[in-house]
Amino acid sequence: MKKILMVLTCVSEIGDTGEKTGYNVAEAAYPWKVFKDSGHFVDFASIQGGRPHSSGPTVTALPDPT
């Protein structure tokens, strides 16, 4: 079993525009599932620590990829 660290953005706003941003949940969920299904341990981190901001639906709102 390999250990994989997925680093997500912690930016919640684009510059000083006020426009919201963050990581795309679907783009993080797909590789996570592939890694987990392959038997790897996956952990998440953000550059500044703490909980990263998402720019889309929550994981519970995503359809089952199988």
Side-chain angles (χ1 to χ4, degrees):
M1 170 177 62
K2 292 183 180 181
K3 294 181 180 180
I4 298 171
L5 179 65
M6 293 182 63
V7 181
L8 305 174
T9 184
C10 53
V11 175
S12 62
E13 196 172 283
I14 298 174
D16 58 0
T17 65
E19 187 177 344
K20 300 292 182 196
T21 190
Y23 74 93
N24 183 296
V25 175
E27 289 177 357
Y30 181 79
W32 170 83
K33 175 132 177 59
V34 170
F35 295 145
K36 290 293 284 184
D37 289 350
S38 297
H40 304 300
F41 174 82
V42 182
D43 205 357
F44 293 90
S46 66
I47 300 295
Q48 295 177 340
R51 186 179 190 130
H53 301 277
S54 70
S55 64
T58 62
V59 173
T60 57
L62 293 175
D64 184 356
T66 56

Coordinates of all heavy atoms in Angstrom, one line a residue:
M1 N 0.8 -1.2 0.0 CA 0.0 0.0 0.0 C 0.9 1.2 0.0 O 1.8 1.4 0.8 CB -0.9 0.0 1.2 CG -1.6 1.3 1.4 SD -2.8 1.5 2.8 CE -1.8 1.2 4.2
K2 N 0.6 2.1 -0.9 CA 1.4 3.4 -1.0 C 0.5 4.4 -0.3 O -0.7 4.4 -0.3 CB 1.6 3.8 -2.4 CG 2.6 2.9 -3.1 CD 2.9 3.4 -4.5 CE 3.9 2.5 -5.2 NZ 4.2 2.9 -6.5
K3 N 1.2 5.4 0.2 CA 0.5 6.6 0.8 C 0.6 7.7 -0.2 O 1.6 8.0 -0.7 CB 1.2 7.0 2.1 CG 1.1 6.0 3.2 CD 1.8 6.4 4.5 CE 1.7 5.4 5.5 NZ 2.3 5.8 6.8
I4 N -0.6 8.3 -0.4 CA -0.7 9.4 -1.4 C -1.2 10.7 -0.7 O -2.2 10.6 0.0 CB -1.6 9.0 -2.5 CG1 -1.0 7.8 -3.3 CG2 -1.9 10.2 -3.5 CD1 -1.9 7.2 -4.3
L5 N -0.6 11.8 -0.9 CA -1.0 13.0 -0.3 C -1.6 13.9 -1.5 O -0.8 14.2 -2.4 CB 0.1 13.8 0.3 CG -0.2 15.1 1.0 CD1 -1.2 15.0 2.1 CD2 1.0 15.8 1.4
M6 N -2.8 14.2 -1.4 CA -3.5 15.1 -2.4 C -3.5 16.5 -1.7 O -4.1 16.7 -0.7 CB -4.9 14.6 -2.7 CG -4.8 13.3 -3.5 SD -6.5 12.7 -4.0 CE -7.0 14.0 -5.1
V7 N -2.9 17.5 -2.4 CA -2.8 18.8 -1.9 C -3.9 19.7 -2.6 O -3.9 19.7 -3.9 CB -1.4 19.5 -2.1 CG1 -1.4 20.9 -1.5 CG2 -0.4 18.6 -1.4
L8 N -4.8 20.3 -1.9 CA -5.8 21.1 -2.4 C -5.6 22.6 -2.1 O -4.9 22.9 -1.2 CB -7.2 20.7 -1.8 CG -7.5 19.2 -1.9 CD1 -8.8 18.9 -1.1 CD2 -7.7 18.8 -3.4
T9 N -6.2 23.4 -3.0 CA -6.0 24.8 -2.8 C -6.7 25.3 -1.5 O -7.8 24.7 -1.1 CB -6.5 25.6 -4.0 OG1 -6.2 27.0 -3.8 CG2 -8.0 25.5 -4.2
C10 N -6.2 26.3 -0.9 CA -6.9 26.9 0.3 C -7.4 28.3 -0.1 O -7.9 29.0 0.8 CB -6.0 26.9 1.5 SG -4.4 27.7 1.2
V11 N -7.3 28.7 -1.3 CA -7.8 30.0 -1.8 C -9.3 29.9 -1.9 O -9.8 29.0 -2.5 CB -7.1 30.4 -3.1 CG1 -7.7 31.6 -3.7 CG2 -5.6 30.4 -3.0
S12 N -10.0 30.9 -1.3 CA -11.4 31.0 -1.4 C -11.9 32.1 -2.3 O -13.1 32.2 -2.6 CB -12.0 31.1 0.0 OG -11.6 32.3 0.6
E13 N -11.0 33.0 -2.7 CA -11.5 34.2 -3.4 C -10.4 34.5 -4.4 O -9.2 34.4 -4.1 CB -11.7 35.3 -2.5 CG -12.4 36.5 -3.0 CD -12.7 37.5 -1.9 OE1 -13.6 37.2 -1.1 OE2 -12.0 38.5 -1.9
I14 N -10.8 34.9 -5.7 CA -9.8 35.2 -6.7 C -9.3 36.6 -6.5 O -10.1 37.6 -6.7 CB -10.4 35.0 -8.1 CG1 -10.8 33.6 -8.3 CG2 -9.4 35.5 -9.2 CD1 -11.5 33.3 -9.6
G15 N -8.1 36.8 -6.0 CA -7.5 38.1 -5.8 C -8.4 39.0 -4.9 O -8.9 38.5 -3.9
D16 N -8.6 40.2 -5.3 CA -9.5 41.1 -4.6 C -10.8 41.4 -5.4 O -11.4 42.4 -5.2 CB -8.8 42.4 -4.2 CG -8.2 43.2 -5.4 OD1 -8.4 42.6 -6.6 OD2 -7.7 44.2 -5.2
T17 N -11.1 40.4 -6.3 CA -12.3 40.6 -7.1 C -13.6 40.2 -6.3 O -14.7 40.6 -6.8 CB -12.2 39.7 -8.3 OG1 -12.3 38.3 -7.9 CG2 -11.0 39.9 -9.1
G18 N -13.5 39.5 -5.3 CA -14.7 39.0 -4.6 C -15.3 37.8 -5.2 O -16.2 37.2 -4.6
E19 N -14.7 37.3 -6.3 CA -15.2 36.1 -7.0 C -14.8 34.9 -6.2 O -13.6 34.7 -5.9 CB -14.7 36.0 -8.4 CG -15.3 34.9 -9.2 CD -14.9 34.9 -10.6 OE1 -14.3 35.9 -11.1 OE2 -15.1 33.9 -11.3
K20 N -15.7 34.0 -5.8 CA -15.5 32.8 -5.0 C -14.8 31.8 -5.9 O -15.0 31.6 -7.1 CB -16.8 32.2 -4.5 CG -17.5 33.2 -3.5 CD -16.7 33.4 -2.3 CE -17.5 34.3 -1.3 NZ -16.7 34.9 -0.3
T21 N -13.9 31.0 -5.3 CA -13.2 29.9 -5.9 C -12.8 28.9 -4.9 O -13.1 29.0 -3.7 CB -11.9 30.4 -6.7 OG1 -11.4 29.4 -7.5 CG2 -10.8 30.9 -5.7
G22 N -12.1 27.8 -5.3 CA -11.7 26.7 -4.5 C -11.4 25.5 -5.3 O -11.4 25.6 -6.5
Y23 N -11.2 24.4 -4.7 CA -11.0 23.2 -5.4 C -12.3 22.6 -5.9 O -13.3 22.8 -5.4 CB -10.2 22.1 -4.6 CG -11.0 21.4 -3.5 CD1 -11.7 20.2 -3.8 CD2 -11.2 22.0 -2.3 CE1 -12.4 19.6 -2.8 CE2 -12.0 21.4 -1.3 CZ -12.6 20.2 -1.6 OH -13.3 19.6 -0.6
N24 N -12.2 21.9 -7.0 CA -13.4 21.2 -7.6 C -13.5 19.9 -7.0 O -12.6 19.0 -7.1 CB -13.2 21.1 -9.1 CG -14.4 20.5 -9.8 OD1 -14.7 19.4 -9.6 ND2 -15.0 21.3 -10.7
V25 N -14.6 19.6 -6.3 CA -14.9 18.4 -5.6 C -14.8 17.2 -6.5 O -14.2 16.2 -6.2 CB -16.2 18.4 -4.8 CG1 -16.5 17.1 -4.2 CG2 -16.2 19.5 -3.8
A26 N -15.4 17.3 -7.7 CA -15.4 16.1 -8.6 C -14.0 15.8 -9.1 O -13.6 14.6 -9.2 CB -16.3 16.4 -9.8
E27 N -13.2 16.8 -9.3 CA -11.8 16.6 -9.7 C -10.9 16.0 -8.6 O -10.0 15.3 -8.9 CB -11.2 17.9 -10.2 CG -11.8 18.4 -11.6 CD -11.2 19.7 -12.0 OE1 -10.4 20.3 -11.3 OE2 -11.6 20.1 -13.1
A28 N -11.3 16.2 -7.4 CA -10.6 15.6 -6.3 C -11.1 14.2 -6.0 O -10.4 13.3 -5.6 CB -10.6 16.5 -5.0
A29 N -12.4 14.0 -6.1 CA -13.1 12.7 -5.8 C -12.7 11.6 -6.7 O -12.5 10.5 -6.3 CB -14.6 12.9 -5.7
Y30 N -12.6 11.9 -8.0 CA -12.3 10.8 -9.0 C -10.9 10.2 -8.7 O -10.8 9.0 -8.5 CB -12.4 11.3 -10.4 CG -12.1 10.2 -11.4 CD1 -13.1 9.3 -11.7 CD2 -10.9 10.1 -12.0 CE1 -12.9 8.2 -12.5 CE2 -10.6 9.0 -12.8 CZ -11.6 8.1 -13.1 OH -11.3 7.1 -14.0
P31 N -9.8 10.9 -8.6 CA -8.5 10.3 -8.3 C -8.5 9.6 -7.0 O -7.9 8.6 -6.8 CB -7.5 11.4 -8.5 CG -8.2 12.7 -8.5 CD -9.6 12.4 -8.9
W32 N -9.2 10.2 -6.0 CA -9.3 9.6 -4.6 C -9.9 8.2 -4.7 O -9.3 7.3 -4.2 CB -10.1 10.5 -3.7 CG -10.4 9.8 -2.4 CD1 -9.6 9.8 -1.3 CD2 -11.6 9.1 -2.1 NE1 -10.2 9.1 -0.3 CE2 -11.4 8.6 -0.8 CE3 -12.8 8.8 -2.8 CZ2 -12.4 7.9 -0.1 CZ3 -13.7 8.1 -2.1 CH2 -13.5 7.6 -0.8
K33 N -11.0 8.1 -5.5 CA -11.6 6.8 -5.6 C -10.7 5.8 -6.3 O -10.6 4.6 -5.9 CB -12.9 6.9 -6.4 CG -13.6 5.6 -6.7 CD -15.1 5.7 -6.3 CE -15.8 4.4 -6.7 NZ -15.3 3.2 -6.0
V34 N -10.1 6.2 -7.4 CA -9.2 5.3 -8.1 C -8.0 4.9 -7.2 O -7.7 3.7 -7.2 CB -8.6 6.0 -9.4 CG1 -7.5 5.2 -10.0 CG2 -9.7 6.3 -10.4
F35 N -7.4 5.8 -6.5 CA -6.3 5.4 -5.5 C -6.8 4.5 -4.5 O -6.2 3.5 -4.1 CB -5.7 6.7 -4.9 CG -5.0 7.6 -5.8 CD1 -5.1 9.0 -5.6 CD2 -4.3 7.1 -6.9 CE1 -4.4 9.8 -6.5 CE2 -3.7 8.0 -7.8 CZ -3.7 9.3 -7.6
K36 N -8.0 4.8 -3.8 CA -8.5 3.9 -2.8 C -8.9 2.6 -3.3 O -8.6 1.6 -2.7 CB -9.8 4.6 -2.2 CG -9.6 5.8 -1.4 CD -8.8 5.5 -0.1 CE -9.7 4.9 0.9 NZ -9.0 4.7 2.2
D37 N -9.5 2.5 -4.5 CA -9.9 1.2 -5.1 C -8.6 0.4 -5.4 O -8.7 -0.9 -5.5 CB -10.7 1.4 -6.3 CG -12.1 1.9 -6.0 OD1 -12.5 1.9 -4.8 OD2 -12.9 2.2 -6.9
S38 N -7.5 1.0 -5.6 CA -6.2 0.3 -5.9 C -5.5 -0.1 -4.6 O -4.4 -0.6 -4.7 CB -5.3 1.2 -6.7 OG -5.9 1.5 -8.0
G39 N -6.1 0.2 -3.5 CA -5.5 -0.2 -2.2 C -4.6 0.8 -1.5 O -3.9 0.4 -0.6
H40 N -4.6 2.0 -2.0 CA -3.7 3.0 -1.5 C -4.3 3.8 -0.3 O -5.6 4.0 -0.3 CB -3.2 4.0 -2.5 CG -2.5 3.3 -3.7 ND1 -1.4 2.5 -3.5 CD2 -2.8 3.2 -5.0 CE1 -1.0 2.0 -4.7 NE2 -1.9 2.4 -5.6
F41 N -3.5 4.4 0.6 CA -4.0 5.3 1.6 C -3.9 6.7 1.1 O -2.9 7.1 0.6 CB -3.2 5.2 2.9 CG -3.5 6.2 3.9 CD1 -4.6 6.0 4.8 CD2 -2.8 7.3 4.0 CE1 -4.9 6.9 5.7 CE2 -3.1 8.3 5.0 CZ -4.2 8.1 5.8
V42 N -5.0 7.5 1.1 CA -5.0 8.8 0.6 C -5.3 9.8 1.7 O -6.3 9.6 2.5 CB -6.1 9.0 -0.5 CG1 -6.1 10.4 -1.1 CG2 -5.9 7.9 -1.6
D43 N -4.5 10.8 1.8 CA -4.8 11.9 2.7 C -4.8 13.2 2.0 O -4.3 13.3 0.9 CB -3.7 11.9 3.8 CG -4.1 12.5 5.1 OD1 -5.2 13.0 5.2 OD2 -3.3 12.5 6.0
F44 N -5.5 14.2 2.6 CA -5.6 15.5 2.0 C -4.9 16.5 2.8 O -4.9 16.4 4.0 CB -7.1 15.9 1.8 CG -7.8 15.0 0.8 CD1 -8.5 13.9 1.3 CD2 -7.9 15.4 -0.5 CE1 -9.2 13.1 0.4 CE2 -8.6 14.6 -1.4 CZ -9.2 13.4 -1.0
A45 N -4.4 17.6 2.2 CA -3.8 18.7 2.8 C -4.1 19.9 2.0 O -4.4 19.9 0.8 CB -2.3 18.5 3.0
S46 N -3.9 21.1 2.7 CA -4.0 22.4 1.9 C -2.7 23.1 2.2 O -2.0 22.9 3.2 CB -5.2 23.2 2.4 OG -5.0 23.6 3.7
I47 N -2.3 24.0 1.3 CA -1.1 24.7 1.4 C -0.9 25.4 2.8 O 0.2 25.3 3.4 CB -0.9 25.7 0.3 CG1 -1.0 25.0 -1.1 CG2 0.4 26.6 0.4 CD1 0.2 24.1 -1.4
Q48 N -1.9 26.1 3.2 CA -1.8 26.9 4.5 C -2.4 26.1 5.7 O -2.5 26.6 6.8 CB -2.6 28.2 4.3 CG -2.0 29.1 3.3 CD -2.8 30.4 3.1 OE1 -4.0 30.5 3.5 NE2 -2.1 31.4 2.6
G49 N -2.8 24.9 5.5 CA -3.3 24.1 6.6 C -4.8 24.4 6.7 O -5.3 25.3 6.1
G50 N -5.5 23.7 7.5 CA -6.9 23.9 7.7 C -7.8 23.3 6.6 O -7.3 22.6 5.7
R51 N -9.0 23.6 6.7 CA -10.0 23.0 5.7 C -10.0 23.8 4.4 O -10.2 25.0 4.4 CB -11.4 23.0 6.3 CG -12.4 22.3 5.4 CD -13.8 22.4 6.1 NE -14.6 21.5 5.4 CZ -15.4 20.5 5.9 NH1 -15.4 20.4 7.2 NH2 -16.1 19.8 5.1
P52 N -9.7 23.1 3.3 CA -9.7 23.8 2.0 C -11.2 24.2 1.6 O -12.1 23.5 2.0 CB -9.1 22.8 1.0 CG -9.3 21.5 1.7 CD -9.4 21.7 3.1
H53 N -11.3 25.2 0.7 CA -12.6 25.7 0.3 C -12.9 25.0 -1.1 O -12.1 24.9 -2.0 CB -12.6 27.2 0.0 CG -12.2 27.9 1.3 ND1 -13.2 28.3 2.2 CD2 -11.1 28.4 1.7 CE1 -12.6 28.9 3.2 NE2 -11.3 29.0 2.9
S54 N -14.1 24.5 -1.2 CA -14.6 23.9 -2.4 C -15.3 24.9 -3.3 O -15.9 25.8 -2.8 CB -15.4 22.6 -2.2 OG -16.7 23.0 -1.6
S55 N -15.3 24.7 -4.6 CA -16.0 25.6 -5.5 C -17.2 24.9 -6.1 O -17.8 25.5 -7.0 CB -15.0 26.0 -6.6 OG -14.7 24.9 -7.4
G56 N -17.6 23.8 -5.6 CA -18.7 23.1 -6.2 C -19.6 22.3 -5.2 O -19.5 22.7 -4.0
P57 N -20.2 21.3 -5.6 CA -21.1 20.5 -4.7 C -20.3 19.8 -3.7 O -19.1 19.6 -3.9 CB -21.8 19.6 -5.7 CG -20.9 19.4 -6.8 CD -20.2 20.7 -7.0
T58 N -20.9 19.5 -2.6 CA -20.2 18.7 -1.6 C -20.1 17.2 -2.0 O -20.8 16.8 -3.0 CB -21.0 18.7 -0.2 OG1 -22.3 18.1 -0.4 CG2 -21.2 20.1 0.3
V59 N -19.3 16.5 -1.4 CA -19.1 15.1 -1.8 C -20.4 14.3 -1.7 O -20.7 13.4 -2.5 CB -18.0 14.4 -0.9 CG1 -17.9 13.0 -1.2 CG2 -16.6 15.1 -1.2
T60 N -21.2 14.6 -0.7 CA -22.5 13.8 -0.5 C -23.4 14.1 -1.7 O -24.3 13.3 -1.9 CB -23.1 14.2 0.8 OG1 -23.3 15.6 0.9 CG2 -22.3 13.7 2.0
A61 N -23.2 15.2 -2.4 CA -24.1 15.5 -3.5 C -23.7 14.9 -4.8 O -24.4 15.0 -5.8 CB -24.2 17.1 -3.6
L62 N -22.5 14.3 -4.8 CA -22.0 13.7 -6.1 C -22.6 12.4 -6.3 O -22.9 11.6 -5.4 CB -20.5 13.6 -6.0 CG -19.7 14.9 -6.0 CD1 -18.2 14.5 -5.8 CD2 -19.9 15.7 -7.2
P63 N -22.9 12.0 -7.6 CA -23.5 10.7 -7.9 C -22.4 9.6 -7.6 O -21.2 9.9 -7.7 CB -23.8 10.8 -9.4 CG -22.9 11.9 -9.9 CD -22.7 12.8 -8.7
D64 N -22.8 8.4 -7.4 CA -21.9 7.3 -7.2 C -21.2 7.0 -8.5 O -21.9 6.8 -9.5 CB -22.7 6.0 -6.8 CG -21.8 4.9 -6.5 OD1 -20.6 4.9 -6.7 OD2 -22.4 3.8 -6.0
P65 N -19.9 7.0 -8.6 CA -19.2 6.8 -9.9 C -19.2 5.4 -10.4 O -18.7 5.2 -11.5 CB -17.7 7.3 -9.6 CG -17.6 7.1 -8.1 CD -19.0 7.3 -7.5
T66 N -19.7 4.5 -9.6 CA -19.7 3.1 -10.1 C -20.9 2.7 -10.9 O -21.9 3.4 -11.0 CB -19.6 2.1 -8.9 OG1 -20.7 2.3 -8.1 CG2 -18.3 2.3 -8.2

